[in-house]
């Protein structure tokens, strides 16, 4: 406790987010190569410019990649496509 009896309490949360991305090649999620290609897409802004090194999408603790069609159907807005990348 602090000297005045008030100790700041900290609360932790797990935050997950979802991005829909699109590629020109048929990838099988789960292989290191395919996962890296898919993760590389969300490591870019929607303008195609790369995110900075401190961007949360470059510093994740874990990730999950699911096939778009099996997960949510065809009516979700795509965040970025492989054609938009400006590396």
């Amino acid at each position: 406790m602090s000297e005045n009896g008030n100790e700041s309490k900290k609360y932790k949360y797990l935050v997950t987010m979802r991005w829909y991305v699109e590629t020109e090649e048929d990838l099988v999620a789960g292989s290191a190569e395919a996962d890296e290609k898919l993760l590389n897409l969300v490591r870019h802004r929607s303008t195609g410019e790369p995110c900075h090194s401190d961007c949360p999408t470059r510093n994740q603790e874990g990730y999950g990649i699911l096939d778009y069609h099996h997960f949510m159907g065809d009516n979700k807005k795509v965040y970025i496509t492989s054609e938009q990348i400006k590396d």
Side-chain angles (χ1 to χ4, degrees), residues 3-87:
E3 290 181 25
N4 64 4
N6 294 328
E7 185 175 321
S8 66
K9 190 169 183 178
K10 298 189 181 197
Y11 302 92
K12 296 181 181 181
Y13 301 90
L14 168 65
V15 177
T16 62
M17 302 180 91
R18 186 181 309 158
W19 290 273
Y20 298 98
V21 298
E22 185 175 81
T23 66
E24 292 181 342
E25 59 183 308
D26 186 16
L27 300 171
V28 178
S31 74
E33 181 181 350
D35 285 2
E36 192 57 38
K37 287 180 181 181
L38 293 168
L39 289 171
N40 184 52
L41 291 173
V42 297
R43 293 174 179 153
H44 288 78
R45 294 180 180 93
S46 60
T47 61
E49 299 291 327
C51 292
H52 294 287
S53 62
D54 62 349
C55 177
T57 59
R58 291 188 180 273
N59 299 289
Q60 81 280 346
E61 182 178 319
Y63 63 88
I65 298 175
L66 302 169
D67 187 302
Y68 178 94
H69 301 289
H70 295 293
F71 188 62
M72 291 300 290
D74 291 325
N75 59 350
K76 298 295 180 183
K77 184 178 183 219
V78 172
Y79 168 70
I80 195 166
T81 70
S82 55
E83 295 172 338
Q84 294 172 281
I85 300 300
K86 298 177 183 176
D87 284 331

